[in-house]
mmCIF file of all heavy atoms in Angstrom:
data_model
loop_
_atom_site.group_PDB
_atom_site.id
_atom_site.type_symbol
_atom_site.label_atom_id
_atom_site.label_comp_id
_atom_site.label_asym_id
_atom_site.label_seq_id
_atom_site.Cartn_x
_atom_site.Cartn_y
_atom_site.Cartn_z
ATOM 1 N N VAL A 168 5.645 32.262 -48.618
ATOM 2 C CA VAL A 168 6.439 33.323 -49.242
ATOM 3 C C VAL A 168 7.072 34.252 -48.214
ATOM 4 O O VAL A 168 6.800 34.160 -47.015
ATOM 5 C CB VAL A 168 5.567 34.152 -50.217
ATOM 6 C CG1 VAL A 168 5.056 33.284 -51.364
ATOM 7 C CG2 VAL A 168 4.416 34.827 -49.485
ATOM 8 N N ASN A 169 7.898 35.177 -48.726
ATOM 9 C CA ASN A 169 8.491 36.199 -47.859
ATOM 10 C C ASN A 169 7.585 37.443 -47.845
ATOM 11 O O ASN A 169 6.590 37.514 -48.574
ATOM 12 C CB ASN A 169 9.920 36.513 -48.320
ATOM 13 C CG ASN A 169 9.969 37.025 -49.747
ATOM 14 O OD1 ASN A 169 9.079 37.776 -50.173
ATOM 15 N ND2 ASN A 169 10.988 36.627 -50.499
ATOM 16 N N GLY A 170 7.962 38.412 -47.029
ATOM 17 C CA GLY A 170 7.114 39.584 -46.827
ATOM 18 C C GLY A 170 6.891 40.401 -48.081
ATOM 19 O O GLY A 170 5.777 40.879 -48.325
ATOM 20 N N SER A 171 7.912 40.559 -48.908
ATOM 21 C CA SER A 171 7.737 41.376 -50.109
ATOM 22 C C SER A 171 6.903 40.646 -51.153
ATOM 23 O O SER A 171 6.080 41.251 -51.845
ATOM 24 C CB SER A 171 9.085 41.807 -50.688
ATOM 25 O OG SER A 171 9.971 40.729 -50.760
ATOM 26 N N SER A 172 7.098 39.352 -51.247
ATOM 27 C CA SER A 172 6.279 38.553 -52.157
ATOM 28 C C SER A 172 4.815 38.593 -51.715
ATOM 29 O O SER A 172 3.901 38.658 -52.545
ATOM 30 C CB SER A 172 6.801 37.114 -52.178
ATOM 31 O OG SER A 172 5.912 36.284 -52.877
ATOM 32 N N PHE A 173 4.593 38.583 -50.400
ATOM 33 C CA PHE A 173 3.234 38.686 -49.864
ATOM 34 C C PHE A 173 2.614 40.039 -50.219
ATOM 35 O O PHE A 173 1.495 40.113 -50.721
ATOM 36 C CB PHE A 173 3.268 38.502 -48.346
ATOM 37 C CG PHE A 173 1.933 38.672 -47.676
ATOM 38 C CD1 PHE A 173 1.036 37.625 -47.604
ATOM 39 C CD2 PHE A 173 1.579 39.887 -47.110
ATOM 40 C CE1 PHE A 173 -0.195 37.772 -46.986
ATOM 41 C CE2 PHE A 173 0.343 40.052 -46.491
ATOM 42 C CZ PHE A 173 -0.541 38.998 -46.429
ATOM 43 N N ILE A 177 3.953 38.430 -55.519
ATOM 44 C CA ILE A 177 4.932 37.876 -56.457
ATOM 45 C C ILE A 177 4.941 36.362 -56.268
ATOM 46 O O ILE A 177 5.265 35.854 -55.198
ATOM 47 C CB ILE A 177 6.330 38.468 -56.205
ATOM 48 C CG1 ILE A 177 6.285 39.981 -56.409
ATOM 49 C CG2 ILE A 177 7.361 37.811 -57.100
ATOM 50 C CD1 ILE A 177 7.426 40.731 -55.756
ATOM 51 N N ILE A 178 4.532 35.651 -57.325
ATOM 52 C CA ILE A 178 4.378 34.198 -57.234
ATOM 53 C C ILE A 178 5.739 33.519 -57.422
ATOM 54 O O ILE A 178 6.398 33.737 -58.445
ATOM 55 C CB ILE A 178 3.390 33.692 -58.307
ATOM 56 C CG1 ILE A 178 2.127 34.574 -58.362
ATOM 57 C CG2 ILE A 178 3.030 32.236 -58.054
ATOM 58 C CD1 ILE A 178 1.308 34.630 -57.109
ATOM 59 N N PRO A 179 6.166 32.698 -56.470
ATOM 60 C CA PRO A 179 7.432 31.962 -56.608
ATOM 61 C C PRO A 179 7.339 30.915 -57.720
ATOM 62 O O PRO A 179 6.267 30.693 -58.284
ATOM 63 C CB PRO A 179 7.611 31.301 -55.242
ATOM 64 C CG PRO A 179 6.700 32.040 -54.313
ATOM 65 C CD PRO A 179 5.536 32.482 -55.167
ATOM 66 N N PRO A 180 8.458 30.258 -58.043
ATOM 67 C CA PRO A 180 8.431 29.211 -59.075
ATOM 68 C C PRO A 180 7.410 28.125 -58.725
ATOM 69 O O PRO A 180 7.231 27.797 -57.553
ATOM 70 C CB PRO A 180 9.852 28.645 -59.036
ATOM 71 C CG PRO A 180 10.675 29.704 -58.405
ATOM 72 C CD PRO A 180 9.782 30.473 -57.486
ATOM 73 N N GLN A 183 7.642 25.302 -56.078
ATOM 74 C CA GLN A 183 7.491 25.539 -54.636
ATOM 75 C C GLN A 183 6.037 25.496 -54.169
ATOM 76 O O GLN A 183 5.753 25.734 -52.999
ATOM 77 C CB GLN A 183 8.094 26.901 -54.271
ATOM 78 C CG GLN A 183 9.610 26.966 -54.447
ATOM 79 C CD GLN A 183 10.172 28.350 -54.152
ATOM 80 O OE1 GLN A 183 9.583 29.137 -53.421
ATOM 81 N NE2 GLN A 183 11.326 28.652 -54.732
HETATM 82 C C1 LIG B 401 10.957 36.912 -51.923
HETATM 83 O O1 LIG B 401 10.324 35.957 -52.740
HETATM 84 C C2 LIG B 401 10.263 36.324 -54.110
HETATM 85 C C3 LIG B 401 9.425 35.280 -54.833
HETATM 86 O O2 LIG B 401 9.979 33.992 -54.703
HETATM 87 C C4 LIG B 401 11.683 36.438 -54.649
HETATM 88 O O3 LIG B 401 11.630 36.852 -55.990
HETATM 89 C C5 LIG B 401 12.457 37.455 -53.817
HETATM 90 O O4 LIG B 401 13.799 37.463 -54.224
HETATM 91 C C6 LIG B 401 12.388 37.132 -52.337
HETATM 92 N N1 LIG B 401 12.959 38.227 -51.588
HETATM 93 C C7 LIG B 401 13.832 38.005 -50.585
HETATM 94 C C8 LIG B 401 14.290 39.229 -49.882
HETATM 95 O O5 LIG B 401 14.219 36.898 -50.285
#
Side-chain angles (χ1 to χ4, degrees):
V168 297
N169 60 37
S171 47
S172 171
F173 176 84
I177 299 160
I178 314 299
Q183 293 177 24

